[in-house]
C-alpha cells in the first residue's frame, strides 16, 4: 500500500466528515454519463479513494439497481463509510494496484485524492484497465497552479511548492491520460472567487489535524502562518476581509 505522504487518514478518519465541504450531492459527471442510457441494472460504478464514502452514497439514487463500489487505502476511512452504508462494497486497496478484473466497471471516478498518490501514472493505468469499453473516467481535483493567488498561500507560503509538486497541472493530467489510452479527453476548469473574513480563516486554520494541506507543513511553517493571520487581525491598517480565489479541475476520458 502506497500511503499518502501528506497525511495519515486512519488518524483523522473519525473527524473527517465534520470538516467543512465534505458533504456531496450526486456527481454531475455520473449524471451526464447516465443520461440517455437504458436500464442501469448491470452497471458497476467505482470511486477510487472514496474516503468516508460520501460520493457513492450521494450517487445511489441515480441508479438504484447498479452496483456501487468504493475503494480506499485507509481502513479507518472505510470503517466510517461502512458505518453509514453497509450495503455498498467498500474495498481496501491501493489506487495503483486495483483488486478488480480488467473491464469490470462502467464508470470510475476519483475525487480530491490524486495529489496524494505516489504513483499517479499507475493510478491512471489502473482506472483505464478496470473500465469496460464504452466506460468513462472522471477525475476531480483542485488546481493550485492556476490559483496561485490562493489566500492560503499568502499566510502559508511554504505550502505552495509542496502543492505544486503534488497536484499535477491540467496539461500533465491530460497528456498522461492520453498516453494511457483514454479517448475523448476533456478538461473543465472552475474558478471560484469570493471574499473571506480573516477571523473565519484563522478559526478554520486552527483545525490543523483535519486538513491535509496544513498537515503537510512543518510545525514551524504552520505556526508562522497562524502568526501572520493574527498579526493582520491585530493591525488596524490591514483589511479584515480578503479576496479568495480557488480553481477546480475536472478531467474526463472514455475507453473506446
Ligand atoms: C482528501 S481524501 C478524499 C476522499 C473522498 N474522495 C472525498 O472527496 O471526500 C483522500 C483519500 O485518498 C485516500 N488515498 C490516499 N492514497 C491512496 C492510495 N494510494 N490508494 C487508495 N486510496 C488512497 C486516503 O485514504 C483518503 O481517503
Amino acid at each position: 500500500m502506497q500511503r499518502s505522504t501528506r497525511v495519515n487518514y486512519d488518524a483523522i478518519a473519525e473527524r473527517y466528515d465534520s470538516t467543512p465541504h465534505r458533504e456531496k450531492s450526486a456527481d454531475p459527471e455520473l449524471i451526464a454519463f447516465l443520461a440517455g442510457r437504458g436500464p442501469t441494472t448491470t452497471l458497476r460504478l467505482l470511486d477510487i479513494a472514496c474516503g468516508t464514502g460520501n460520493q457513492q452514497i450521494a450517487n445511489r439514487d441515480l441508479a438504484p439497481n447498479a452496483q456501487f463500489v468504493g475503494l480506499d487505502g485507509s481502513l479507518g476511512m472505510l470503517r466510517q463509510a461502512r458505518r453509514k452504508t453497509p450495503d455498498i462494497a467498500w474495498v481496501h486497496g491501493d489506487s495503483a494496484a486495483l483488486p478488480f478484473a480488467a473491464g469490470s466497471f462502467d464508470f470510475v471516478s476519483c475525487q480530491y485524492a490524486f495529489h496524494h498518490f505516489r504513483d499517479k501514472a499507475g493510478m491512471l493505468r489502473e482506472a483505464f484497465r478496470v473500465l469496460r469499453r464504452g466506460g468513462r473516467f472522471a477525475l476531480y481535483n483542485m488546481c493550485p497552479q492556476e490559483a496561485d493567488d490562493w489566500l492560503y498561500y499568502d499566510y502559508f507560503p511554504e505550502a505552495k511548492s509542496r502543492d505544486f509538486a503534488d497536484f499535477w497541472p491540467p496539461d500533465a493530467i491530460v497528456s498522461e491520460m492520453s498516453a494511457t489510452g483514454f479517448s475523448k479527453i476533456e478538461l473543465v476548469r472552475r474558478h471560484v472567487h469570493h471574499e473571506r473574513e480573516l477571523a473565519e480563516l484563522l478559526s478554520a486554520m486552527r483545525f490543523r489535524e483535519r486538513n491535509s494541506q496544513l498537515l503537510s507543513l512543518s510545525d514551524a511553517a504552520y505556526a508562522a502562518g497562524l502568526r501572520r493571520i493574527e498579526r493582520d487581525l491585530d493591525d488596524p491598517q490591514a483589511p479584515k476581509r480578503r479576496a479568495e480565489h480557488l480553481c477546480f479541475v475536472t478531467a474526463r476520458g472514455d475507453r473506446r
Side-chain angles (χ1 to χ4, degrees), residues 243-254:
E244 169 121 290
H245 170 208
L246 305 171
C247 179
F248 298 87
V249 68
T250 307
R252 78 175 73 91
D254 290 354

Side-chain angles (χ1 to χ4, degrees), residues 1-4 9 16 24 47 49-51 71-74 77 93-95 111-113 116-117:
M1 173 68 56
Q2 299 199 326
R3 286 180 176 281
S4 167
Y9 275 98
Y16 184 81
K24 306 259 189 191
D47 190 32
C50 64
L71 172 130
D72 201 273
S74 157
M77 296 291 267
D94 191 326
S95 59
Q111 305 199 340
Y112 306 106
H116 289 290
F117 303 153

Side-chain angles (χ1 to χ4, degrees), residues 77-149:
M77 296 291 267
L78 291 172
R79 198 171 304 123
Q80 299 303 315
R82 207 165 286 127
R83 204 172 276 164
K84 285 183 273 187
T85 311
D87 53 346
I88 284 180
W90 303 114
V91 178
H92 186 230
D94 191 326
S95 59
L98 299 177
F100 306 114
S104 52
F105 289 95
D106 299 278
F107 183 86
V108 175
S109 56
C110 178
Q111 305 199 340
Y112 306 106
F114 195 60
H115 55 293
H116 289 290
F117 303 153
R118 295 184 201 206
D119 184 1
K120 293 176 173 53
M123 178 268 168
L124 293 174
R125 274 197 305 277
E126 281 293 87
F128 186 78
R129 181 184 67 78
V130 302
L131 268 181
R132 291 179 180 146
R133 289 188 186 281
R136 178 167 300 166
F137 170 61
L139 176 76
Y140 291 76
N141 215 355
M142 312 260 322
C143 177
Q145 289 85 356
E146 296 187 22
D148 69 347
D149 53 346

Side-chain angles (χ1 to χ4, degrees), residues 124 128 131-138 173-187 251-256:
L124 293 174
F128 186 78
L131 268 181
R132 291 179 180 146
R133 289 188 186 281
R136 178 167 300 166
F137 170 61
I173 296 172
V174 168
S175 96
E176 194 62 42
M177 282 176 66
S178 173
T180 302
F182 286 101
S183 60
K184 285 177 68 184
I185 300 169
E186 287 180 292
L187 193 94
R252 78 175 73 91
D254 290 354
R255 174 162 193 168
R256 270 212 202 100

